[in-house]
Amino acid sequence: MSTKLKKEFYVQGLSCLEMIPENDRKKYYAVTINNRLHELTFIPESIKDEIILLELSDLEATKIYETSLRYLFTLAISNLFKDVKVRYSYNVSRSIFGSFIKGSTRLDTKSLKAIKEEVDRLIALDLPIVRVTVNKDEAKKIYESMDAYDKLETLKYRPSDDVHLYKCGDYVNYMYGYMVPSTGYLKKYILKHYAPGFLIQYPRSECGGEIPPFEDAPIFGKTLKHSSMWANKVKVDTIAHINQFIENHGSVDFINMCESQHNNMLSDLGNLIVNNIDQTRLICIAGPSSSGKTTFSNRLRLELMSKGITPVTISIDDYYLPKNQIPKDENGEPDLECLQALDIDLFNQNMLALIEGEEVVLPHFDFKKGKRVDGDKLSIAPDQPIIIEGIHALNDELTNLIPKHQKFKIYIAPQAQINIDNENPISLTELRLLRRIVRDSKFRQSTASETISMWPSVRRGEFKWIYKNQENADYVYNSLLPYELCVMKKYALPLLQEIDSNSPYYIIANRLIKFIKYFSDIDDKDVPCNSLMREFIGGSCFDVN
């Protein structure tokens, strides 16, 4: 929980860290001053500024913690194994996955034990982590001396000449984010062997600054692995490689290659459903916000039609209860995202009746009237599956009258395995936030600030209703299009740059701007009209918004 620094502690010329009572210093991980994020070592210009101290229950503090933890582990590995290069990505149970991508050392129980001992030794020493600024030429020489060619590649696309590095003793690295003042701040972590690499669990703001219990997710993890393997194979695994692909092959080839990968997944998925069509009556599609569920549902419907199957699509939204019957959230407002906001009994009765060959009058929710009215009459053939799509589609409580063997469940989300460089992965969550900012501006006339303000509530709903059901899926569809940030850049940057530096949402906007600027621009004229990307930038042939 954030805390205001008491005015009596303010001293002109001291850093924020120096103003905090010594016994409390390692309780805080960053500060905000006038809605700007700063490291604890920042020296305020005026003691009139309000200084807010951030703990691990604050999102920005945990981001700094996680960034610093990657720095610390890379330092420890460098100390132990001089020829080893490590690569990080985000993985199961909200953790960091690390693997050795170069070097003669084998990653096993023995080497992992040595890494933990070295990390703990560095933490106990409480070594300062100091920020230094150099120009591109100086950074190039440093990266060359480190054999950090992944960083050299990315450096070419850095728009400014200044490069911020962090030193800990003789060790130098840059993790594209703010850091804690010293290694002694990083005592909270869990290291776990997770072949062929390791996992680092760390405190999460949504868990009150604690490390969440480990929950393995083999289906989700397998999709991430496939995403990483494909990105490595076609050389689009980092920002620099994406930009180089565009330079070498052109944006048209890049777009079409990524779209072909989506087509291949759709074909594989269609074959799975066809092979099981005798018992598949419900096709259930769910995923977090801005995963592309609507376009995907339309494309899957057409894929199945091309194989001689004619599914029908039923909207779960038509089963909303009237507002006065919907449970309230913590703010006393109708909780439209909870399962109980839907008429579960009616939905089950209708689905079962359709599957049993009856004709059903489907409801239609009239949002202007705020209630359900009679919709179309529908009956289906024995070989005609029903497609349902929504945040609760994988929840068996929504379809409890339908036997499990009659349901084919699909989880959809962009499983990004793209890095800035080896040690700095791009957040899957922030990719979806960028999609939503662009879509909400295009179709809902919402500002980026309005979208960002709603994002914490959206995330709470995802943790509560979606992620716990993802491992029940029969198929995970990776909706990532590696070219998409190159296309969204021209839409997202102006929207993010409109956010004033005094806005409480400036911190998030600034973080998104910093990494999206590295991507080369791609004109969206060559993006197909049936592309999932069109759901966010407009021009979809499905008229999805």
Side-chain angles (χ1 to χ4, degrees), residues 62-165:
T62 55
K63 283 192 171 292
I64 287 173
Y65 193 97
E66 183 264 327
T67 301
S68 305
L69 204 54
R70 278 187 280 112
Y71 179 96
L72 175 63
F73 267 82
T74 311
L75 166 57
I77 291 167
S78 174
N79 286 347
L80 292 169
F81 316 115
K82 297 300 181 185
D83 64 337
V84 164
K85 295 296 179 185
V86 64
R87 186 182 179 97
Y88 298 114
S89 60
Y90 295 116
N91 211 286
V92 300
S93 200
R94 294 174 270 178
S95 59
I96 309 162
F97 177 76
S99 60
F100 289 178
I101 58 170
K102 183 181 177 184
S104 56
T105 302
R106 183 182 171 199
L107 186 57
D108 53 20
T109 304
K110 183 180 177 182
S111 58
L112 208 60
K113 183 174 181 287
I115 292 170
K116 182 173 182 0
E117 288 174 353
E118 178 64 5
V119 165
D120 290 344
R121 184 185 75 84
L122 294 170
I123 291 171
L125 289 172
D126 198 17
L127 301 171
I129 301 173
V130 181
R131 175 176 167 135
V132 294
T133 301
V134 299
N135 61 38
K136 276 188 179 180
D137 289 336
E138 292 171 302
K140 183 180 177 182
K141 291 175 184 176
I142 292 168
Y143 290 156
E144 286 173 344
S145 70
M146 296 165 57
D147 193 26
Y149 288 96
D150 56 316
K151 292 185 184 293
L152 281 168
E153 287 179 328
T154 305
L155 188 64
K156 297 174 189 174
Y157 302 99
R158 184 173 176 84
S160 62
D161 190 54
D162 286 345
V163 180
H164 305 298
L165 304 173

Side-chain angles (χ1 to χ4, degrees), residues 226-343:
H226 286 167
S227 178
S228 178
M229 289 171 63
W230 184 78
N232 281 312
K233 184 187 292 185
V234 300
K235 299 291 189 293
V236 292
D237 56 322
T238 66
I239 293 176
H241 287 169
I242 284 173
N243 291 346
Q244 288 164 11
F245 192 102
I246 296 168
E247 291 165 8
N248 295 333
H249 302 283
S251 59
V252 173
D253 277 4
F254 187 29
I255 290 170
N256 287 325
M257 180 187 72
C258 297
E259 293 291 343
S260 292
Q261 175 68 356
H262 268 203
N263 293 340
N264 292 339
M265 285 190 289
L266 274 167
S267 179
D268 291 344
L269 176 55
N271 288 334
L272 281 174
I273 294 172
V274 168
N275 292 337
N276 202 37
I277 197 62
D278 289 344
Q279 61 181 11
T280 299
R281 306 316 313 276
L282 273 185
I283 299 172
C284 312
I285 302 168
S289 174
S290 303
S291 291
K293 294 183 288 293
T294 306
T295 299
F296 169 76
S297 298
N298 278 307
R299 290 190 62 175
L300 177 60
R301 176 177 56 83
L302 293 173
E303 179 68 29
L304 292 174
M305 288 174 68
S306 76
K307 299 177 186 297
I309 297 167
T310 53
V312 297
T313 302
I314 291 177
S315 173
I316 296 175
D317 288 352
D318 284 327
Y319 288 84
Y320 268 117
L321 292 167
K323 262 192 176 181
N324 60 1
Q325 296 180 33
I326 293 175
K328 301 289 193 292
D329 61 17
E330 63 272 15
N331 300 315
E333 297 294 325
D335 187 355
L336 298 175
E337 292 193 338
C338 76
L339 179 62
Q340 290 71 30
L342 301 169
D343 192 333

Side-chain angles (χ1 to χ4, degrees), residues 397-425:
E397 192 178 341
L398 178 66
T399 55
N400 59 72
L401 293 182
I402 313 303
K404 287 189 176 182
H405 70 272
Q406 290 189 324
K407 293 180 276 194
F408 190 95
K409 297 179 178 180
I410 302 166
Y411 178 81
I412 174 174
Q415 314 290 8
Q417 292 288 271
I418 298 172
N419 284 39
I420 299 175
D421 57 40
N422 287 334
E423 296 144 3
N424 293 279

Side-chain angles (χ1 to χ4, degrees), residues 506-524:
Y506 178 80
I507 292 170
I508 294 174
N510 192 44
R511 184 170 66 244
L512 296 174
I513 287 169
K514 280 182 177 178
F515 87 81
I516 202 172
K517 274 186 172 181
Y518 280 90
F519 286 90
S520 295
D521 295 282
I522 288 182
D523 195 306
D524 59 20

